[in-house]
Amino acid sequence: MKIVLLGTGNVAVHLGPSLKKAGHRFLQVYGRNERSARSLSKKLDCPFATDLGLLQPKADVYLLAVRDEAIPELLPFLPATEALILHTSGSVPLDVLRNFKNTGVLYPLQTLSIHRKIKISAVPFCLEVNRPALKQRLTKLIKPASSNLHWIDSDQRRILHLAAVFANNFSNHLFSISEDLLNENGMDFGLLKPLILETGKKVQTHSPRDMQTGPARRGDSETIEKHLALLSGHPQYAQLYQLLTESIREMNGPRL
Amino acid sequence: MKIVLLGTGNVAVHLGPSLKKAGHRFLQVYGRNERSARSLSKKLDCPFATDLGLLQPKADVYLLAVRDEAIPELLPFLPATEALILHTSGSVPLDVLRNFKNTGVLYPLQTLSIHRKIKISAVPFCLEVNRPALKQRLTKLIKPASSNLHWIDSDQRRILHLAAVFANNFSNHLFSISEDLLNENGMDFGLLKPLILETGKKVQTHSPRDMQTGPARRGDSETIEKHLALLSGHPQYAQLYQLLTESIREMNGPRL
């Protein structure tokens, strides 16, 4: 399929080359930043544009891999076309594309950063289209790159994005708190790395709910009190400790 | 070295066989539960006892791999001896063993469960002894099993245990929340597994603070408001969402 890619950020940089490798052809990359656009266009072996007025009109797919807020800003510049218009956002409903005939979503459920390689074939893609007839077209686009495909509607995708914030952004913040506590006390964060990796591996095969351990799970009030005392210099962390402890107790009940 | 192992739980079951494999000899396993004690004693090729009055008096090491609360209960039954008395707890100070001459701590900083295999050689062990002269003896015990060794005093170890609660217990609870949200909306937790694994892998090479992403990090109030609205049926989760968002903003500042 012939693709015009809009965007040069984390998603574009991972998705573009994977789709090319899967056999698709890029007609053009658009990006506001000339340097990023040129760099990505080289990888995709196609021209680039920094002017929205110069978008190629004859693609099969327009892939909007841009920040959520930028999606509506780009739409007026897309050609009135039978092509498939796709966005890649977890939290923007498909309906934002309602002025076009053939629309869909291609949301990669993975944390993508420019500096880390990701095996795209293992990334779950959440798919949605505005008409059932388009399912085949979207599958044809992405299946050669990843077969981990899931049809998820806009309402479900919002929940999924929220759940991903808990599972990824918030857990990463907890890792930052542990790093902070260690550094403050002359210890290296490296000490916790094997534990963090194992925590992530464990839930690959077990329900996290069943794997819950720790003072809150045991109902070990003595340790909980000691920990809160240690956090007296960090009221924010102490409040989080307390709320997470309550939430574990509510979900799992004390084992006692 | 000749070891008497007290305890048949998660730590004992992982540590015992590893120390045997490393060339040490077990004289005896003690456990309240006869079945667990017998089972572990077979693996360690030694007799077992369920009666504290029958502890072998001639070991080089008494290894107390039991729950925190059980440590003081066992102490009166240990022989008055020159042997090294060790506990394996993250939150109990070394001082609990003050009535003995040669004491120490051997705290494996990893989540150990009976049903998951762990490469002990990759586990960080936090070590402490009551007299510097004992450092060599404790090293001789554990070094053949793992060379990831760290001398950590009781005060640091308390902080480390607290940090591990954030990094492991609390992040696992966030995974449970995401699982709950997905199931409630007809989606499978499997969707999030690659994301969770990558989150754990990323911090192996990068500081989690630098890796922070998401609506809170971006200062994306619109998405935050939408997420809070989605959580209206879960006041506990909404409160956690809010507090974690504030905490990220405080630590990282909005990127804006």
Side-chain angles (χ1 to χ4, degrees):
Chain A
M1 296 170 94
K2 290 174 288 177
I3 306 173
V4 167
L5 176 61
L6 295 95
T8 59
N10 291 334
V11 174
V13 159
H14 280 93
L15 209 47
S18 304
L19 290 173
K20 182 169 186 292
K21 215 175 151 189
H24 299 297
R25 206 179 114 213
F26 282 83
L27 297 188
Q28 188 181 40
V29 176
Y30 160 79
R32 282 181 311 176
N33 180 300
E34 182 172 332
R35 203 172 140 186
S36 310
R38 175 178 288 121
S39 158
L40 185 53
S41 75
K42 275 186 192 156
K43 284 182 196 146
L44 299 178
D45 197 18
C46 72
F48 71 92
T50 55
D51 179 348
L52 280 168
L54 299 175
L55 286 184
Q56 262 280 4
K58 302 231 162 149
D60 300 316
V61 175
Y62 290 83
L63 184 56
L64 283 70
V66 295
R67 285 172 305 112
D68 291 2
E69 316 84 76
I71 296 174
E73 298 166 12
L74 295 182
L75 299 181
F77 297 93
L78 295 179
T81 170
E82 297 275 312
L84 189 56
I85 314 289
L86 299 175
H87 79 64
T88 59
S89 162
S91 45
V92 175
L94 175 60
D95 186 56
V96 72
L97 305 175
R98 62 185 165 276
N99 289 336
F100 296 86
K101 186 172 170 198
N102 299 315
T103 66
V105 177
L106 179 63
Y107 168 48
L109 191 44
Q110 183 52 284
T111 168
L112 303 170
S113 50
I114 289 185
H115 302 293
R116 269 188 68 84
K117 277 198 178 164
I118 287 283
K119 239 175 89 186
I120 286 283
S121 60
V123 171
F125 281 89
C126 303
L127 312 179
E128 186 179 9
V129 284
N130 70 331
R131 300 186 295 119
L134 295 170
K135 281 194 170 188
Q136 216 186 340
R137 235 202 269 184
L138 184 50
T139 305
K140 196 179 151 195
L141 176 72
I142 188 64
K143 189 79 181 274
S146 169
S147 52
N148 195 348
L149 306 180
H150 305 267
W151 295 95
I152 300 277
D153 68 30
S154 291
D155 285 344
Q156 284 180 312
R157 198 172 57 255
R158 286 191 312 162
I159 297 284
L160 192 52
H161 182 249
L162 168 62
V165 167
F166 275 94
N168 169 242
N169 305 151
F170 288 166
S171 66
N172 184 77
H173 181 58
L174 297 181
F175 303 155
S176 308
I177 291 177
S178 65
E179 181 184 37
D180 191 23
L181 292 171
L182 257 54
N183 292 346
E184 209 178 69
N185 290 276
M187 289 177 283
D188 193 275
F189 179 61
L191 275 166
L192 286 176
K193 286 179 179 176
L195 178 66
I196 289 174
L197 192 59
E198 173 64 13
T199 307
K201 280 186 181 169
K202 227 176 195 175
V203 299
Q204 302 299 310
T205 46
H206 296 78
S207 160
R209 193 176 181 143
D210 299 339
M211 288 294 107
Q212 190 63 53
T213 56
R217 176 71 178 90
R218 289 196 302 275
D220 177 354
S221 325
E222 205 182 309
T223 300
I224 292 167
E225 288 309 316
K226 280 186 198 161
H227 282 169
L228 288 171
L230 286 174
L231 289 172
S232 59
H234 291 288
Q236 187 96 343
Y237 298 169
Q239 218 184 328
L240 268 174
Y241 186 103
Q242 211 144 18
L243 201 55
L244 284 159
T245 294
E246 274 170 36
S247 185
I248 290 171
R249 281 178 166 175
E250 202 158 293
M251 183 183 281
N252 298 86
R255 208 178 276 167
L256 292 183
Chain B
M1 296 169 95
K2 289 174 289 177
I3 306 173
V4 167
L5 176 61
L6 296 95
T8 59
N10 290 333
V11 174
V13 160
H14 280 92
L15 210 46
S18 303
L19 290 173
K20 180 169 187 292
K21 217 175 150 188
H24 299 295
R25 207 179 114 213
F26 283 83
L27 297 189
Q28 188 180 40
V29 176
Y30 161 79
R32 281 181 309 176
N33 180 301
E34 182 172 335
R35 206 172 138 185
S36 310
R38 175 179 289 122
S39 159
L40 185 53
S41 75
K42 275 186 191 156
K43 285 181 195 146
L44 299 178
D45 198 18
C46 71
F48 70 91
T50 55
D51 179 347
L52 279 168
L54 298 176
L55 286 184
Q56 263 279 5
K58 301 232 161 146
D60 300 314
V61 175
Y62 290 83
L63 184 56
L64 283 70
V66 295
R67 285 173 305 112
D68 292 1
E69 317 82 77
I71 296 174
E73 296 166 14
L74 295 182
L75 298 181
F77 297 93
L78 295 179
T81 170
E82 297 275 312
L84 188 56
I85 314 289
L86 298 175
H87 79 63
T88 59
S89 162
S91 45
V92 175
L94 175 59
D95 185 55
V96 71
L97 305 175
R98 62 185 165 276
N99 288 336
F100 296 87
K101 184 170 171 202
N102 300 315
T103 65
V105 177
L106 179 63
Y107 167 48
L109 191 44
Q110 184 51 284
T111 168
L112 304 170
S113 52
I114 289 184
H115 302 294
R116 269 187 68 84
K117 276 198 180 167
I118 287 283
K119 240 175 88 185
I120 286 283
S121 61
V123 171
F125 281 89
C126 303
L127 312 180
E128 186 179 8
V129 283
N130 70 330
R131 299 187 295 118
L134 295 171
K135 282 193 169 190
Q136 216 185 341
R137 233 201 272 185
L138 183 50
T139 306
K140 194 177 151 196
L141 176 72
I142 188 64
K143 189 80 180 275
S146 169
S147 52
N148 195 349
L149 306 181
H150 305 267
W151 295 95
I152 300 277
D153 68 28
S154 290
D155 284 344
Q156 285 181 312
R157 198 172 57 253
R158 286 191 312 163
I159 297 284
L160 191 53
H161 183 248
L162 168 62
V165 167
F166 276 94
N168 168 242
N169 303 152
F170 287 165
S171 66
N172 184 75
H173 181 59
L174 296 182
F175 303 155
S176 307
I177 291 177
S178 65
E179 180 184 37
D180 191 23
L181 292 171
L182 257 54
N183 291 347
E184 209 179 70
N185 290 275
M187 288 177 284
D188 192 277
F189 178 61
L191 275 166
L192 286 177
K193 286 180 181 176
L195 179 65
I196 289 173
L197 192 58
E198 173 64 13
T199 307
K201 280 186 180 169
K202 227 175 194 174
V203 300
Q204 302 298 310
T205 46
H206 297 78
S207 158
R209 193 175 180 143
D210 299 339
M211 288 294 106
Q212 188 64 54
T213 56
R217 176 73 178 90
R218 289 195 304 274
D220 178 354
S221 325
E222 205 182 309
T223 300
I224 293 168
E225 287 310 317
K226 279 185 198 161
H227 282 170
L228 287 171
L230 286 174
L231 290 172
S232 60
H234 291 288
Q236 188 97 341
Y237 297 170
Q239 218 185 328
L240 268 174
Y241 186 104
Q242 210 143 20
L243 201 55
L244 285 159
T245 295
E246 276 170 36
S247 185
I248 290 172
R249 282 177 164 176
E250 202 157 293
M251 182 183 281
N252 298 85
R255 207 179 276 168
L256 291 183

